[in-house]
Amino acid sequence: MAPTETHQFPPPKVLTYHHHQSSSSSPPPTLITQGAEGRLYKTTHLTRDRPCALKYRPPKPYRHPVLDARLTKARLASEAKVLERCRREGVSVPAVYAVDPAAGWMMMEWIEGVPVRVRINAWLGERCGEEDGEEGEEMDETPLVDLMKRVGEAVGALHRTGVVHGDLTTSNMMLRPPPPPPGQVNGREEEDNKAKVLEGEVVLIDFGLATQSMSDEDRAVDLYVLERAFASTHPRAERLFASVLASYRDAFKKASSVLVKLEDVRMRGRKRSMLG
Ligand SMILES: Nc1ncnc2c1ncn2[C@@H]1O[C@H](COP(=O)(O)OP(=O)(O)OP(=O)(O)O)[C@@H](O)[C@H]1O
């Protein structure tokens, strides 16, 4: 590995290969995010009409190269393995198309839609505006409660397969819009569809910190992380988190002991914050 290359910003080599028959017209990959750990590209590299998400973990210049390569390789391999397991068991996650842990990349299904966080906040913001003036008018929370249920089901399904996510937030869940109904040719019937912004399938993403575990404790911590993230990202909907837990209970046979454990985890969290 040439150390001089690590400070530049080259895409992974795999994106510079040409796989299409007439690759000249293939659009270049788009850099979607540049996080602490890695980058995510959207690319039609694999097939022209099916976009892929390419996760790339470039070498870290501040880490020992041998150690760095080993770590990256192990993490990507484990992320791919967990995703494949979820996929096999019917949990809604991106399909893995290809992975080269040694080269630091994984190619997976591109999930259309936006993070659940964005949709919840958009919906709450809109409701807030409507509430102005008339006091005491109950707003219909059904669509939001519905979405919370789908979140709880997704986490329940995940835990059922023996996987804990490790970083559950509403940013690490995509809301994939339902396909347009067959009759609707141009799919531009958006006007009176405000209630529909919360529709769609919850797809879990970012399994970089996921592990295989069947322990109540690990599962409870997974829920706790989500609960805390939810409270800080959507303070106005905090009490709706109960719906997440209720549907988690319905979706997952072993939920009740996890939820008991969750009480302990919360207690520890409170003690810790009191000690400051
Ligand atoms: N399969 C996918 N389809 C569409 N968008 C995706 C997909 N995977 C990730 N994204 C988008 O890219 C962002 C970053 O992806 P992800 O969180 O997996 O990368 P990461 O490098 O592990 O990020 P982080 O530093 O937050 O852990 C996501 O928030 C999401 O918006």
Side-chain angles (χ1 to χ4, degrees), residues 159 213-225 227 245 248-249 252 254-270 272:
H159 285 182
S213 168
M214 310 264 254
S215 101
D216 285 345
E217 167 82 19
D218 291 346
R219 287 166 170 163
V221 169
D222 227 16
L223 291 176
Y224 184 66
V225 167
E227 183 173 64
L245 297 180
Y248 175 80
R249 189 189 286 280
F252 177 41
K254 300 193 174 131
S256 43
S257 51
V258 178
L259 293 173
V260 169
K261 202 59 153 186
L262 178 59
E263 301 281 343
D264 292 350
V265 177
R266 281 180 185 141
M267 195 82 83
R268 268 185 265 147
R270 247 173 263 140
R272 207 175 307 122

mmCIF file of all heavy atoms in Angstrom, residues 159 213-225 227 245 248-249 252 254-270 272:
data_model
loop_
_atom_site.group_PDB
_atom_site.id
_atom_site.type_symbol
_atom_site.label_atom_id
_atom_site.label_comp_id
_atom_site.label_asym_id
_atom_site.label_seq_id
_atom_site.Cartn_x
_atom_site.Cartn_y
_atom_site.Cartn_z
ATOM 1 N N HIS A 159 -33.762 -8.992 16.050
ATOM 2 C CA HIS A 159 -33.340 -9.716 17.252
ATOM 3 C C HIS A 159 -33.705 -11.203 17.183
ATOM 4 O O HIS A 159 -32.995 -12.047 17.698
ATOM 5 C CB HIS A 159 -33.963 -9.061 18.502
ATOM 6 C CG HIS A 159 -33.298 -7.763 18.874
ATOM 7 N ND1 HIS A 159 -33.647 -7.023 19.967
ATOM 8 C CD2 HIS A 159 -32.282 -7.090 18.271
ATOM 9 C CE1 HIS A 159 -32.867 -5.937 20.034
ATOM 10 N NE2 HIS A 159 -32.050 -5.947 19.018
ATOM 11 N N SER A 213 -25.729 -11.918 18.578
ATOM 12 C CA SER A 213 -25.924 -12.117 20.011
ATOM 13 C C SER A 213 -27.369 -12.479 20.296
ATOM 14 O O SER A 213 -28.290 -12.011 19.636
ATOM 15 C CB SER A 213 -25.575 -10.842 20.780
ATOM 16 O OG SER A 213 -26.015 -10.951 22.125
ATOM 17 N N MET A 214 -27.528 -13.356 21.279
ATOM 18 C CA MET A 214 -28.870 -13.750 21.700
ATOM 19 C C MET A 214 -29.120 -13.324 23.141
ATOM 20 O O MET A 214 -30.050 -13.802 23.766
ATOM 21 C CB MET A 214 -29.003 -15.278 21.620
ATOM 22 C CG MET A 214 -28.563 -15.870 20.308
ATOM 23 S SD MET A 214 -29.973 -16.115 19.252
ATOM 24 C CE MET A 214 -30.085 -17.887 19.378
ATOM 25 N N SER A 215 -28.249 -12.465 23.667
ATOM 26 C CA SER A 215 -28.389 -12.144 25.085
ATOM 27 C C SER A 215 -29.409 -11.027 25.313
ATOM 28 O O SER A 215 -29.486 -10.063 24.543
ATOM 29 C CB SER A 215 -27.025 -11.788 25.699
ATOM 30 O OG SER A 215 -26.866 -10.400 25.820
ATOM 31 N N ASP A 216 -30.197 -11.198 26.371
ATOM 32 C CA ASP A 216 -31.194 -10.197 26.736
ATOM 33 C C ASP A 216 -30.546 -8.833 26.939
ATOM 34 O O ASP A 216 -31.077 -7.804 26.532
ATOM 35 C CB ASP A 216 -31.900 -10.595 28.045
ATOM 36 C CG ASP A 216 -32.887 -11.720 27.834
ATOM 37 O OD1 ASP A 216 -33.234 -11.998 26.672
ATOM 38 O OD2 ASP A 216 -33.310 -12.326 28.842
ATOM 39 N N GLU A 217 -29.401 -8.886 27.598
ATOM 40 C CA GLU A 217 -28.678 -7.649 27.905
ATOM 41 C C GLU A 217 -28.324 -6.885 26.612
ATOM 42 O O GLU A 217 -28.606 -5.698 26.491
ATOM 43 C CB GLU A 217 -27.409 -8.020 28.695
ATOM 44 C CG GLU A 217 -26.393 -6.923 28.835
ATOM 45 C CD GLU A 217 -26.703 -5.936 29.965
ATOM 46 O OE1 GLU A 217 -27.497 -6.288 30.863
ATOM 47 O OE2 GLU A 217 -26.149 -4.823 29.948
ATOM 48 N N ASP A 218 -27.719 -7.584 25.658
ATOM 49 C CA ASP A 218 -27.329 -6.921 24.406
ATOM 50 C C ASP A 218 -28.550 -6.389 23.657
ATOM 51 O O ASP A 218 -28.527 -5.299 23.087
ATOM 52 C CB ASP A 218 -26.573 -7.899 23.495
ATOM 53 C CG ASP A 218 -25.201 -8.264 24.057
ATOM 54 O OD1 ASP A 218 -24.745 -7.566 24.986
ATOM 55 O OD2 ASP A 218 -24.612 -9.258 23.580
ATOM 56 N N ARG A 219 -29.602 -7.167 23.677
ATOM 57 C CA ARG A 219 -30.827 -6.733 22.993
ATOM 58 C C ARG A 219 -31.415 -5.517 23.686
ATOM 59 O O ARG A 219 -31.885 -4.573 23.043
ATOM 60 C CB ARG A 219 -31.837 -7.876 22.970
ATOM 61 C CG ARG A 219 -31.448 -8.976 21.994
ATOM 62 C CD ARG A 219 -32.261 -10.234 22.226
ATOM 63 N NE ARG A 219 -32.053 -11.190 21.137
ATOM 64 C CZ ARG A 219 -32.356 -12.471 21.219
ATOM 65 N NH1 ARG A 219 -32.882 -12.976 22.331
ATOM 66 N NH2 ARG A 219 -32.153 -13.274 20.188
ATOM 67 N N ALA A 220 -31.388 -5.545 25.025
ATOM 68 C CA ALA A 220 -31.935 -4.417 25.789
ATOM 69 C C ALA A 220 -31.130 -3.146 25.526
ATOM 70 O O ALA A 220 -31.699 -2.057 25.377
ATOM 71 C CB ALA A 220 -31.945 -4.747 27.277
ATOM 72 N N VAL A 221 -29.814 -3.297 25.434
ATOM 73 C CA VAL A 221 -28.974 -2.133 25.149
ATOM 74 C C VAL A 221 -29.297 -1.589 23.747
ATOM 75 O O VAL A 221 -29.365 -0.381 23.543
ATOM 76 C CB VAL A 221 -27.472 -2.478 25.298
ATOM 77 C CG1 VAL A 221 -26.583 -1.363 24.746
ATOM 78 C CG2 VAL A 221 -27.123 -2.744 26.764
ATOM 79 N N ASP A 222 -29.534 -2.488 22.820
ATOM 80 C CA ASP A 222 -29.928 -2.080 21.465
ATOM 81 C C ASP A 222 -31.183 -1.194 21.529
ATOM 82 O O ASP A 222 -31.243 -0.126 20.904
ATOM 83 C CB ASP A 222 -30.224 -3.342 20.628
ATOM 84 C CG ASP A 222 -29.557 -3.318 19.254
ATOM 85 O OD1 ASP A 222 -28.630 -2.504 19.052
ATOM 86 O OD2 ASP A 222 -29.963 -4.128 18.390
ATOM 87 N N LEU A 223 -32.167 -1.644 22.296
ATOM 88 C CA LEU A 223 -33.413 -0.873 22.437
ATOM 89 C C LEU A 223 -33.169 0.451 23.162
ATOM 90 O O LEU A 223 -33.745 1.481 22.813
ATOM 91 C CB LEU A 223 -34.459 -1.679 23.220
ATOM 92 C CG LEU A 223 -35.052 -2.897 22.533
ATOM 93 C CD1 LEU A 223 -35.995 -3.631 23.485
ATOM 94 C CD2 LEU A 223 -35.808 -2.493 21.264
ATOM 95 N N TYR A 224 -32.305 0.397 24.152
ATOM 96 C CA TYR A 224 -32.020 1.596 24.940
ATOM 97 C C TYR A 224 -31.356 2.670 24.078
ATOM 98 O O TYR A 224 -31.702 3.852 24.151
ATOM 99 C CB TYR A 224 -31.120 1.237 26.123
ATOM 100 C CG TYR A 224 -30.843 2.387 27.055
ATOM 101 C CD1 TYR A 224 -31.869 2.957 27.813
ATOM 102 C CD2 TYR A 224 -29.563 2.905 27.188
ATOM 103 C CE1 TYR A 224 -31.611 4.017 28.679
ATOM 104 C CE2 TYR A 224 -29.302 3.964 28.051
ATOM 105 C CZ TYR A 224 -30.326 4.514 28.789
ATOM 106 O OH TYR A 224 -30.073 5.559 29.639
ATOM 107 N N VAL A 225 -30.414 2.249 23.263
ATOM 108 C CA VAL A 225 -29.743 3.187 22.356
ATOM 109 C C VAL A 225 -30.779 3.848 21.449
ATOM 110 O O VAL A 225 -30.778 5.067 21.243
ATOM 111 C CB VAL A 225 -28.661 2.455 21.524
ATOM 112 C CG1 VAL A 225 -28.176 3.313 20.367
ATOM 113 C CG2 VAL A 225 -27.482 2.059 22.411
ATOM 114 N N GLU A 227 -33.989 4.160 22.065
ATOM 115 C CA GLU A 227 -34.866 4.984 22.889
ATOM 116 C C GLU A 227 -34.238 6.362 23.152
ATOM 117 O O GLU A 227 -34.903 7.395 23.043
ATOM 118 C CB GLU A 227 -35.128 4.271 24.217
ATOM 119 C CG GLU A 227 -36.083 4.978 25.145
ATOM 120 C CD GLU A 227 -36.425 4.116 26.359
ATOM 121 O OE1 GLU A 227 -35.507 3.820 27.156
ATOM 122 O OE2 GLU A 227 -37.592 3.734 26.488
ATOM 123 N N LEU A 245 -42.021 -0.263 21.437
ATOM 124 C CA LEU A 245 -41.814 -1.397 22.344
ATOM 125 C C LEU A 245 -42.988 -2.369 22.307
ATOM 126 O O LEU A 245 -42.800 -3.584 22.385
ATOM 127 C CB LEU A 245 -41.572 -0.879 23.770
ATOM 128 C CG LEU A 245 -40.299 -0.027 23.931
ATOM 129 C CD1 LEU A 245 -40.151 0.435 25.376
ATOM 130 C CD2 LEU A 245 -39.057 -0.780 23.482
ATOM 131 N N TYR A 248 -42.626 -4.408 19.215
ATOM 132 C CA TYR A 248 -41.458 -5.279 19.423
ATOM 133 C C TYR A 248 -41.890 -6.515 20.207
ATOM 134 O O TYR A 248 -41.538 -7.646 19.874
ATOM 135 C CB TYR A 248 -40.381 -4.497 20.179
ATOM 136 C CG TYR A 248 -39.154 -5.297 20.570
ATOM 137 C CD1 TYR A 248 -38.147 -5.557 19.637
ATOM 138 C CD2 TYR A 248 -38.987 -5.761 21.868
ATOM 139 C CE1 TYR A 248 -36.997 -6.270 20.004
ATOM 140 C CE2 TYR A 248 -37.852 -6.482 22.241
ATOM 141 C CZ TYR A 248 -36.869 -6.735 21.300
ATOM 142 O OH TYR A 248 -35.744 -7.445 21.669
ATOM 143 N N ARG A 249 -42.691 -6.258 21.234
ATOM 144 C CA ARG A 249 -43.180 -7.372 22.059
ATOM 145 C C ARG A 249 -44.010 -8.360 21.227
ATOM 146 O O ARG A 249 -43.895 -9.576 21.381
ATOM 147 C CB ARG A 249 -44.016 -6.810 23.208
ATOM 148 C CG ARG A 249 -44.393 -7.831 24.257
ATOM 149 C CD ARG A 249 -45.403 -7.247 25.236
ATOM 150 N NE ARG A 249 -44.839 -6.300 26.185
ATOM 151 C CZ ARG A 249 -44.182 -6.662 27.288
ATOM 152 N NH1 ARG A 249 -44.001 -7.919 27.573
ATOM 153 N NH2 ARG A 249 -43.713 -5.748 28.103
ATOM 154 N N PHE A 252 -41.682 -10.407 18.581
ATOM 155 C CA PHE A 252 -40.550 -11.217 19.020
ATOM 156 C C PHE A 252 -40.912 -11.990 20.285
ATOM 157 O O PHE A 252 -41.209 -11.431 21.330
ATOM 158 C CB PHE A 252 -39.354 -10.283 19.245
ATOM 159 C CG PHE A 252 -38.107 -10.935 19.765
ATOM 160 C CD1 PHE A 252 -37.686 -12.165 19.288
ATOM 161 C CD2 PHE A 252 -37.342 -10.295 20.718
ATOM 162 C CE1 PHE A 252 -36.533 -12.754 19.773
ATOM 163 C CE2 PHE A 252 -36.173 -10.869 21.213
ATOM 164 C CZ PHE A 252 -35.780 -12.102 20.730
ATOM 165 N N LYS A 254 -39.303 -13.671 22.458
ATOM 166 C CA LYS A 254 -38.521 -13.535 23.692
ATOM 167 C C LYS A 254 -38.445 -12.099 24.193
ATOM 168 O O LYS A 254 -37.576 -11.773 25.018
ATOM 169 C CB LYS A 254 -37.116 -14.079 23.471
ATOM 170 C CG LYS A 254 -37.144 -15.551 23.084
ATOM 171 C CD LYS A 254 -35.769 -16.172 23.163
ATOM 172 C CE LYS A 254 -35.864 -17.662 22.926
ATOM 173 N NZ LYS A 254 -34.890 -18.144 21.941
ATOM 174 N N ALA A 255 -39.359 -11.282 23.705
ATOM 175 C CA ALA A 255 -39.281 -9.843 24.035
ATOM 176 C C ALA A 255 -39.444 -9.558 25.516
ATOM 177 O O ALA A 255 -38.795 -8.651 26.042
ATOM 178 C CB ALA A 255 -40.320 -9.078 23.236
ATOM 179 N N SER A 256 -40.293 -10.320 26.203
ATOM 180 C CA SER A 256 -40.626 -9.882 27.562
ATOM 181 C C SER A 256 -39.418 -9.844 28.489
ATOM 182 O O SER A 256 -39.261 -8.898 29.256
ATOM 183 C CB SER A 256 -41.768 -10.702 28.152
ATOM 184 O OG SER A 256 -41.591 -12.042 27.856
ATOM 185 N N SER A 257 -38.520 -10.834 28.378
ATOM 186 C CA SER A 257 -37.340 -10.783 29.254
ATOM 187 C C SER A 257 -36.394 -9.651 28.833
ATOM 188 O O SER A 257 -35.688 -9.082 29.669
ATOM 189 C CB SER A 257 -36.621 -12.126 29.280
ATOM 190 O OG SER A 257 -36.364 -12.580 27.985
ATOM 191 N N VAL A 258 -36.398 -9.326 27.549
ATOM 192 C CA VAL A 258 -35.575 -8.202 27.090
ATOM 193 C C VAL A 258 -36.116 -6.894 27.674
ATOM 194 O O VAL A 258 -35.354 -6.036 28.138
ATOM 195 C CB VAL A 258 -35.564 -8.112 25.546
ATOM 196 C CG1 VAL A 258 -34.742 -6.911 25.077
ATOM 197 C CG2 VAL A 258 -35.021 -9.392 24.924
ATOM 198 N N LEU A 259 -37.440 -6.783 27.693
ATOM 199 C CA LEU A 259 -38.043 -5.545 28.192
ATOM 200 C C LEU A 259 -37.857 -5.388 29.700
ATOM 201 O O LEU A 259 -37.716 -4.272 30.199
ATOM 202 C CB LEU A 259 -39.525 -5.477 27.795
ATOM 203 C CG LEU A 259 -39.739 -5.346 26.285
ATOM 204 C CD1 LEU A 259 -41.213 -5.445 25.914
ATOM 205 C CD2 LEU A 259 -39.146 -4.046 25.742
ATOM 206 N N VAL A 260 -37.798 -6.510 30.408
ATOM 207 C CA VAL A 260 -37.477 -6.446 31.839
ATOM 208 C C VAL A 260 -36.040 -5.926 32.004
ATOM 209 O O VAL A 260 -35.758 -5.043 32.810
ATOM 210 C CB VAL A 260 -37.629 -7.834 32.505
ATOM 211 C CG1 VAL A 260 -37.040 -7.831 33.910
ATOM 212 C CG2 VAL A 260 -39.097 -8.240 32.532
ATOM 213 N N LYS A 261 -35.167 -6.492 31.191
ATOM 214 C CA LYS A 261 -33.765 -6.066 31.219
ATOM 215 C C LYS A 261 -33.624 -4.587 30.877
ATOM 216 O O LYS A 261 -32.772 -3.879 31.427
ATOM 217 C CB LYS A 261 -32.988 -6.917 30.218
ATOM 218 C CG LYS A 261 -31.507 -7.000 30.441
ATOM 219 C CD LYS A 261 -31.184 -7.571 31.779
ATOM 220 C CE LYS A 261 -29.857 -8.255 31.818
ATOM 221 N NZ LYS A 261 -29.645 -8.917 33.120
ATOM 222 N N LEU A 262 -34.464 -4.144 29.963
ATOM 223 C CA LEU A 262 -34.424 -2.733 29.557
ATOM 224 C C LEU A 262 -34.608 -1.801 30.759
ATOM 225 O O LEU A 262 -33.983 -0.749 30.840
ATOM 226 C CB LEU A 262 -35.485 -2.469 28.480
ATOM 227 C CG LEU A 262 -35.626 -1.031 27.967
ATOM 228 C CD1 LEU A 262 -34.323 -0.502 27.353
ATOM 229 C CD2 LEU A 262 -36.754 -0.944 26.924
ATOM 230 N N GLU A 263 -35.450 -2.235 31.696
ATOM 231 C CA GLU A 263 -35.638 -1.434 32.923
ATOM 232 C C GLU A 263 -34.305 -1.261 33.652
ATOM 233 O O GLU A 263 -33.976 -0.166 34.106
ATOM 234 C CB GLU A 263 -36.629 -2.133 33.875
ATOM 235 C CG GLU A 263 -38.007 -2.375 33.282
ATOM 236 C CD GLU A 263 -38.869 -1.120 33.297
ATOM 237 O OE1 GLU A 263 -38.518 -0.181 34.035
ATOM 238 O OE2 GLU A 263 -39.871 -1.079 32.561
ATOM 239 N N ASP A 264 -33.547 -2.355 33.782
ATOM 240 C CA ASP A 264 -32.220 -2.288 34.425
ATOM 241 C C ASP A 264 -31.292 -1.333 33.684
ATOM 242 O O ASP A 264 -30.581 -0.542 34.286
ATOM 243 C CB ASP A 264 -31.520 -3.665 34.395
ATOM 244 C CG ASP A 264 -32.215 -4.672 35.277
ATOM 245 O OD1 ASP A 264 -33.106 -4.275 36.050
ATOM 246 O OD2 ASP A 264 -31.848 -5.866 35.183
ATOM 247 N N VAL A 265 -31.296 -1.499 32.372
ATOM 248 C CA VAL A 265 -30.383 -0.691 31.561
ATOM 249 C C VAL A 265 -30.715 0.796 31.716
ATOM 250 O O VAL A 265 -29.826 1.634 31.867
ATOM 251 C CB VAL A 265 -30.445 -1.123 30.080
ATOM 252 C CG1 VAL A 265 -29.564 -0.238 29.214
ATOM 253 C CG2 VAL A 265 -30.009 -2.574 29.933
ATOM 254 N N ARG A 266 -31.998 1.098 31.733
ATOM 255 C CA ARG A 266 -32.417 2.492 31.938
ATOM 256 C C ARG A 266 -31.954 3.005 33.296
ATOM 257 O O ARG A 266 -31.463 4.117 33.429
ATOM 258 C CB ARG A 266 -33.940 2.593 31.909
ATOM 259 C CG ARG A 266 -34.536 2.572 30.522
ATOM 260 C CD ARG A 266 -36.030 2.672 30.689
ATOM 261 N NE ARG A 266 -36.754 2.550 29.438
ATOM 262 C CZ ARG A 266 -37.903 1.893 29.313
ATOM 263 N NH1 ARG A 266 -38.433 1.278 30.359
ATOM 264 N NH2 ARG A 266 -38.511 1.849 28.154
ATOM 265 N N MET A 267 -32.128 2.164 34.305
ATOM 266 C CA MET A 267 -31.752 2.537 35.667
ATOM 267 C C MET A 267 -30.269 2.865 35.733
ATOM 268 O O MET A 267 -29.875 3.872 36.298
ATOM 269 C CB MET A 267 -32.059 1.354 36.602
ATOM 270 C CG MET A 267 -32.072 1.697 38.054
ATOM 271 S SD MET A 267 -33.670 2.395 38.464
ATOM 272 C CE MET A 267 -34.598 0.876 38.691
ATOM 273 N N ARG A 268 -29.466 1.991 35.117
ATOM 274 C CA ARG A 268 -28.028 2.232 35.096
ATOM 275 C C ARG A 268 -27.724 3.536 34.384
ATOM 276 O O ARG A 268 -26.870 4.307 34.810
ATOM 277 C CB ARG A 268 -27.329 1.091 34.354
ATOM 278 C CG ARG A 268 -26.881 -0.031 35.262
ATOM 279 C CD ARG A 268 -26.092 -1.032 34.464
ATOM 280 N NE ARG A 268 -26.922 -2.127 34.013
ATOM 281 C CZ ARG A 268 -26.767 -2.790 32.866
ATOM 282 N NH1 ARG A 268 -25.822 -2.441 32.015
ATOM 283 N NH2 ARG A 268 -27.556 -3.781 32.546
ATOM 284 N N GLY A 269 -28.436 3.770 33.319
ATOM 285 C CA GLY A 269 -28.236 5.002 32.552
ATOM 286 C C GLY A 269 -28.518 6.216 33.407
ATOM 287 O O GLY A 269 -27.782 7.206 33.382
ATOM 288 N N ARG A 270 -29.595 6.138 34.188
ATOM 289 C CA ARG A 270 -29.970 7.260 35.041
ATOM 290 C C ARG A 270 -28.920 7.494 36.121
ATOM 291 O O ARG A 270 -28.543 8.617 36.382
ATOM 292 C CB ARG A 270 -31.334 6.988 35.683
ATOM 293 C CG ARG A 270 -32.403 7.936 35.181
ATOM 294 C CD ARG A 270 -33.760 7.536 35.698
ATOM 295 N NE ARG A 270 -34.491 6.752 34.719
ATOM 296 C CZ ARG A 270 -35.237 5.687 34.996
ATOM 297 N NH1 ARG A 270 -35.319 5.246 36.229
ATOM 298 N NH2 ARG A 270 -35.891 5.054 34.040
ATOM 299 N N ARG A 272 -25.857 6.706 36.038
ATOM 300 C CA ARG A 272 -24.641 7.219 35.434
ATOM 301 C C ARG A 272 -24.766 8.717 35.187
ATOM 302 O O ARG A 272 -23.856 9.481 35.423
ATOM 303 C CB ARG A 272 -24.336 6.478 34.131
ATOM 304 C CG ARG A 272 -22.876 6.453 33.801
ATOM 305 C CD ARG A 272 -22.587 5.607 32.579
ATOM 306 N NE ARG A 272 -23.120 4.255 32.660
ATOM 307 C CZ ARG A 272 -23.974 3.722 31.775
ATOM 308 N NH1 ARG A 272 -24.404 4.437 30.766
ATOM 309 N NH2 ARG A 272 -24.398 2.490 31.906
#
